[in-house]
Amino acid sequence: MRLVLAGTVLLLAGCASSTIETPAPPAVPAVPAPPPAQVSTLPGPESLPGWADEDHLAAFQAYADTCRVARDAMSARQCERAIDIRRTSRPVTPSMARAFFETGFAVVEAQPAEGRSPLLTAYFAPEYEARRSPDREFDTPVLGRPDGWSRGQVLEERSAIEAGPPLTPPLAWMRAEDLFFLQIQGSGYLTFEDGSEVRAAYAADNGRPFVGIARPMAERGLLPTNGTSGEAIRAWLAAHRGPEARAVTALNPRYIFFSLDPDDGGDPAGAAGVPLPARRAIAVDPASWTYGDLVWISAGAGNLTGARHGYTGLVMALDTGSAIRGPVRADLYMGRGDAAGLEAGAVRHPLRMWRLIPRP
């Protein structure tokens, strides 16, 4: 997948996003496109809750930057229309951007799958310190892809990998809690003591399922039920570094291996293969959505301490994650660094989603 492995929140429900790990299976859209004759009868984006308050120009620029990942003919046509507007209009104005969406798309709301709660979470591209050689604090190796690894191969669980000799020569050394979160995100950025920076990109996994540690931490009384944000979990792991923290992180058997690439200063690419625009890209279930889908999200107030009131706006489906399942389930990419991570760790909001369907 691409990315980042999206790294998102360790949810009470036990999910995390993983942007970037696996090619998407054939998609079955959550909202199948109706015949062209029916599209004209559907409401337009102006009917969406909060549409008038949207930053249409920012949404337009993000869409034009990424829309070529869409493969169907109607989406490709609207994409070329956006690119042509940007090429010939200097500058594109907010009113032009709004008119582009209102004249070019109809909207249909996606319906939750039975037994799955509509939910918005968030992820980010973390930036962590690292070392070329281990020391007392930076004592956990960043491992590269094992020799002979193949997708779907099942290797030992996290606890066994961490307890044994490194499966590959370490690429770098990190604090244990930082590496754990880097693996949840799927990718991120490392800064060494000499100031050099690299991108740690997903390279392989051990074939084990992801298990969130937030719920068991709350059940064991290690954190309050409404205090299981990513930042709270990371702080607890740092304060209990060693056997106590490893016993908790071992509850998640999944283990990610990395490659180190130059840092180009931008955002990581998602599973769709394009850099993720901060706050305008979501990871989705590829069994319900297709890459390049234009989506309106509306998420009310969350229930985690520190959560913002809500998130509403136009986003593009550009990534996927191992815990993102169902037609009304999304992981919002917040960007790079600590501020993005602090916000992402507190996102757990009830969600509604609409697909914007290209008009003929």
Side-chain angles (χ1 to χ4, degrees), residues 153-232:
Q153 181 179 357
V154 178
L155 305 177
E156 293 181 304
E157 295 188 354
R158 169 184 299 277
S159 57
I161 292 174
E162 293 181 336
L167 297 180
T168 62
L171 303 175
W173 297 84
M174 296 177 64
R175 300 182 181 99
E177 64 274 11
D178 289 348
L179 177 61
F180 182 74
F181 269 77
L182 179 68
Q183 292 178 321
I184 291 173
Q185 298 305 127
S187 73
Y189 298 85
L190 306 182
T191 301
F192 293 98
E193 55 267 58
D194 61 1
S196 60
E197 298 179 347
V198 298
R199 182 169 75 90
Y202 167 90
D205 61 72
N206 65 343
R208 304 286 180 167
F210 171 85
V211 176
I213 65 172
R215 176 176 291 170
M217 290 185 74
E219 292 173 344
R220 297 179 185 193
L222 304 179
L223 291 172
T225 299
N226 67 343
T228 55
S229 68
E231 184 59 27

Side-chain angles (χ1 to χ4, degrees), residues 17 55 94 103 112 121 135 181 202 207 233 236 240 247 251 270 284 287 345:
S17 85
D55 185 342
T103 60
T121 52
D135 58 28
F181 269 77
Y202 167 90
I233 293 171
W236 188 95
H240 299 81
L251 297 173
V284 294

